[in-house]
């Protein structure tokens, strides 16, 4: 086996060759953790065009009302609010279909505190899929979600909000990793 790494393209994407197969290496990049209250959404922008996977992480996240939390994707034209398919489910309770974003829960009652991870992966041609497990840490329940969304252009942003943007964040931390 031979391995050659050429850093002439810069630290963020050196060329590599392993036994005649070539490609580029990209780092795993952590966003800046956001702990905020009183806002309806948190946007992570400036995501590079080479990104193939985004991990959205929540810790102690809660909202001031019953609108279901969700993740929306966007490109240079802005955040896309239609065309999401899939569903989210809270174990032993509610299954809810997606349409305006990747729901991270099948329901919300204003008292839920969410901690967990959603992984969003590029399938190709601006088509993305998502799956995740998020625990309701103050209620004995877990949510399971999966879905799909094709963007109109290359992804460059991720938004965490609620359905209709009706509620604000009142606690918790959100961050992303991308690679």
């Amino acid at each position: 086996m031979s391995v050659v790494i050429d850093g002439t393209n810069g630290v963020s994407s050196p060329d590599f060759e392993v036994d005649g197969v070539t490609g580029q290496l990209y780092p795993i990049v952590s966003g800046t953790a956001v702990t905020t209250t009183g806002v309806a959404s948190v946007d992570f922008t400036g995501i590079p065009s080479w990104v193939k996977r985004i991990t959205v992480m929540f810790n102690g996240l809660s909202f001031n009302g019953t609108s279901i939390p969700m993740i929306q994707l966007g490109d240079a034209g802005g955040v896309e609010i239609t065309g999401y398919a899939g569903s989210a489910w809270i174990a032993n309770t509610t299954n809810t279909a997606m349409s305006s974003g990747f729901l991270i829960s099948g329901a919300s009652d204003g008292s839920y505190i969410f901690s967990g991870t959603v992984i969003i992966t590029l399938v190709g041609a601006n088509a993305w899929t998502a799956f995740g497990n998020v625990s309701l840490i103050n209620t004995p329940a877990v949510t399971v979600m999966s879905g799909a969304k094709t963007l109109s252009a290359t992804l460059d942003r991720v938004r965490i909000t609620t359905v209709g943007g009706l509620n604000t964040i009142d606690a918790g931390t959100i961050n992303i990793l991308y690679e």
Side-chain angles (χ1 to χ4, degrees):
M1 173 180 358
S2 66
V3 177
V4 177
I5 297 178
D6 175 7
T8 60
N9 280 349
V11 174
S12 65
S13 61
D15 295 329
F16 76 90
E17 179 179 336
V18 176
D19 289 336
V21 176
T22 61
Q24 290 185 314
L25 297 174
Y26 293 100
I28 297 175
V29 178
S30 178
T32 300
V34 176
T35 301
T36 188
T37 61
V39 297
S41 63
V42 171
D43 290 354
F44 292 92
T45 60
I47 297 171
S49 61
W50 51 260
V51 167
K52 306 292 187 258
R53 179 170 44 195
I54 301 165
T55 303
V56 182
M57 302 158 294
F58 308 95
N59 184 31
L61 187 65
S62 68
F63 297 85
N64 70 345
T66 60
S67 187
I68 298 173
M70 67 179 174
I71 299 168
Q72 294 174 318
L73 307 180
D75 53 40
V79 172
E80 296 193 11
I81 61 171
T82 62
Y84 294 81
S87 63
W89 176 71
I90 294 180
N92 300 321
T93 60
T94 306
N95 185 40
T96 304
M98 296 177 187
S99 63
S100 60
F102 293 131
L103 303 178
I104 66 166
S105 177
S108 184
D109 76 358
S111 70
Y112 291 167
I113 300 174
F114 301 93
S115 290
T117 302
V118 174
I119 298 174
I120 304 165
T121 307
L122 179 65
V123 176
N126 298 322
W128 294 83
T129 60
F131 71 93
N133 292 341
V134 178
S135 176
L136 303 179
I137 62 173
N138 63 330
T139 302
V142 67
T143 71
V144 178
M145 61 77 64
S146 65
K149 167 71 176 146
T150 299
L151 293 172
S152 58
T154 303
L155 179 140
D156 72 353
R157 66 196 68 201
V158 172
R159 172 176 286 168
I160 294 82
T161 188
T162 61
V163 173
L166 298 176
N167 301 131
T168 59
I169 298 168
D170 59 14
T173 303
I174 307 166
N175 201 357
I176 66 169
L177 294 173
Y178 57 82
E179 55 192 293

